């Protein structure tokens, strides 16, 4: 359902109101959506109920109504902040903490490709020796790129090596809500114990600390306490620490003081590998031509790729029909059209030209000026990544260039990206500008 909603809703709307929601069956015909707080509950119920019900009915047609509930009134309850009785006199009370890790997000289920190979290597190394190297580990990238999967995989790996380790995963919103709840209930000592007496703290989407002065201050002290005690900190965000707006300089400095790695959109071959792995997990089979169609059509992120696969599989299972190419084109037609509209080649060229301050006529010309070479190669690289166009098609768009020239440009950027963090950041920014055009 979330995959459906993320495609049709503006990014900010989805991130604000659907973050942290979950769904379950209340009865055979009624589902319940659990919300992070009363504000999101009321908003979803009053503003998005029709869309949510429609999305749910696509995979569960028997559902006729939806109830909306707040997960827990007291945010601290999620961490089970209840001190256990000391086993023997003199033992101090210790809070019992849940890890909150998703069982699916492990290194074993992660598909490693061109988009995340460095991040994977660093994450795997971090899990073997937490708190000693790459601390903090800061993973950044666009929506749906697999940051959460990587971060939680570290937690699972640590627990496999050290079952008694205290590993906690929370979203930035959960951290903020727990902080507010602790203040209102006068339980700050419990809050500090919960977050400062862990071995590994994983916080997702720390960009949402932006402009939250109180939460930033508390996070700063929590961060310092953990780092001084050699406890591992893993953070994820949609941009580099320095690019997060309204983030205190001392926090940005600390976030970037360890290891900063990025995850990028997967290339065509990696998208095929991801689809193949997801089919294996679901114990289903898709013909090669169907897998290729989805991989060529869904290029922007892993979440949309998996959402398209889920929609097709559920449709075929419900209707008892094989997943042929015509069926896939029919079932995913609106999704493919929506996504391809956001990654039109003209929009890519315009975004690159705007970023580098060059004219469209020049970038597609045969001029070989030095200042045009990098923008031209970046535009070609992004068209190969974000559209399903072939080498000759891109060559035609770029002023009639030969397909070997297009391939050379793509390989050139791939090579530079292995060592040039500045170019990585530039391409990530251009990519985000492109994906936000319709929003």
């Amino acid at each position: 359902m979330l995959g459906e909603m993320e495609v049709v809703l503006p990014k900010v709307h989805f991130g604000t109101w659907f973050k942290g929601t979950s769904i379950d069956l209340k009865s055979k015909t009624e589902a319940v959506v659990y919300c992070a707080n009363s504000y999101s509950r009321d908003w979803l119920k009053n503003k998005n109920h029709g869309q949510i019900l429609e999305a749910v009915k696509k995979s569960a047609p028997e559902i006729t109504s939806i109830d909306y509930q707040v997960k827990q009134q007291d945010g601290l309850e999620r961490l089970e902040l209840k001190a256990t009785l000391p086993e023997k006199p003199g033992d101090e009370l210790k809070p019992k903490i849940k890890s909150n890790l998703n069982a699916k997000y492990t290194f074993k289920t992660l598909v490693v490709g061109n988009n995340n190979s460095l991040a994977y290597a660093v994450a795997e190394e971090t899990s073997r020796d937490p708190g000693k190297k790459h601390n903090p580990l800061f993973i950044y990238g666009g929506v749906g790129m697999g940051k959460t999967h990587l971060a939680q995989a570290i937690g699972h790996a640590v627990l496999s090596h050290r079952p008694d380790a205290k590993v906690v995963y929370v979203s930035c919103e959960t951290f903020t809500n727990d902080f507010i709840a602790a203040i209102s209930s006068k339980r700050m000592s419990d809050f500090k114990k919960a977050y400062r007496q862990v071995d590994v703290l994983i916080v997702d989407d720390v960009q949402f600390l932006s402009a939250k002065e109180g939460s930033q201050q508390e996070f700063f002290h929590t961060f310092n306490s953990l780092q001084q005690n050699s406890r591992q900190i893993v953070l994820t965000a949609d941009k580099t620490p320095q690019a997060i707006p309204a983030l205190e300089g001392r926090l940005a400095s600390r976030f970037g003081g360890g290891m900063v790695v990025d995850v990028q959109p997967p290339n065509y071959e990696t998208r095929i590998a991801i689809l193949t792995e997801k089919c294996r997990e679901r114990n289903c089979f898709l013909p090669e031509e169907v897998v290729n169609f989805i991989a060529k059509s869904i290029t922007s992120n892993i979440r949309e790729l998996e959402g398209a696969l889920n929609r097709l599989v559920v449709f075929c299972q419900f209707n008892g029909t094989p997943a042929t190419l015509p069926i896939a084109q029919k079932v995913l037609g609106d999704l493919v059209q929506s996504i391809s509209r956001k990654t039109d080649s003209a929009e890519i060229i315009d975004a690159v030209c705007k970023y580098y301050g060059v004219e469209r006529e020049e970038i597609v010309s045969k001029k070989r000026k030095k200042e045009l070479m990098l923008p031209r190669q970046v535009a070609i690289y992004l068209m190969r990544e974000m559209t399903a166009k072939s080498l000759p098609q891109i060559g035609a768009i770029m002023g009639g260039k030969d397909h070997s020239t297009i391939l050379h440009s793509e390989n050139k950027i791939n090579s530079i990206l292995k060592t040039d963090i500045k170019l990585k950041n530039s391409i990530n920014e251009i990519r985000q500008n492109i994906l936000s055009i319709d929003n």
Side-chain angles (χ1 to χ4, degrees), residues 197-328:
Q197 294 185 2
V198 299
D199 298 303
V200 180
L201 177 63
I202 305 168
V203 183
D204 217 352
D205 292 325
V206 293
Q207 72 271 11
F208 290 116
L209 281 174
S210 176
K212 295 182 174 71
E213 295 180 4
S215 296
Q216 286 190 37
Q217 182 175 355
E218 181 55 38
F219 198 87
F220 173 78
H221 295 305
T222 297
F223 186 103
N224 282 347
S225 175
L226 291 172
Q227 196 170 53
Q228 288 169 7
N229 288 287
S230 298
R231 308 297 175 86
Q232 182 64 48
I233 305 165
V234 180
L235 309 171
T236 77
D238 62 357
K239 51 180 69 69
T240 61
Q242 293 73 23
I244 298 175
L247 182 68
E248 289 185 12
R250 59 181 183 173
L251 271 181
S253 175
R254 281 163 173 75
F255 288 176
M259 184 67 177
V260 179
V261 292
D262 71 322
V263 287
Q264 300 179 22
N267 63 10
Y268 175 64
E269 291 76 13
T270 305
R271 295 197 296 272
I272 289 179
I274 291 171
L275 289 169
T276 303
E277 171 63 19
K278 295 302 178 182
C279 286
R280 186 194 64 77
E281 289 177 8
R282 298 189 63 138
N283 195 28
C284 66
F285 169 78
L286 292 183
E288 182 179 354
E289 60 181 2
V290 174
V291 173
N292 292 342
F293 165 72
I294 299 175
K296 287 181 179 179
S297 303
I298 313 294
T299 62
S300 54
N301 67 56
I302 297 170
R303 191 174 298 157
E304 288 179 343
L305 194 68
E306 188 172 358
L309 175 65
N310 290 340
R311 181 195 284 195
L312 178 61
V313 170
V314 169
F315 177 88
C316 292
Q317 289 176 343
F318 181 76
N319 292 281
T321 182
T324 62
L325 181 57
I327 289 293

Side-chain angles (χ1 to χ4, degrees), residues 150-169:
L150 260 175
Q152 292 202 28
I154 294 172
H156 281 296
V158 169
L159 289 172
S160 70
H161 303 319
R162 295 170 47 195
D164 61 335
K166 296 177 183 176
V167 177
V168 170
Y169 163 85

Side-chain angles (χ1 to χ4, degrees), residues 328-343:
Q329 291 171 332
K330 176 183 177 182
V331 173
L332 303 178
D334 61 328
L335 183 62
V336 170
Q337 184 178 9
S338 171
I339 293 172
S340 62
R341 177 169 53 87
K342 293 191 288 187
T343 55

Side-chain angles (χ1 to χ4, degrees), residues 45-63:
K45 184 176 181 180
N46 297 324
K47 302 287 187 179
N48 293 108
H49 173 72
Q51 291 171 301
I52 293 173
L53 181 59
E54 182 181 354
V56 170
K57 288 177 73 67
K58 286 184 178 180
S59 57
E62 67 276 10
I63 298 299

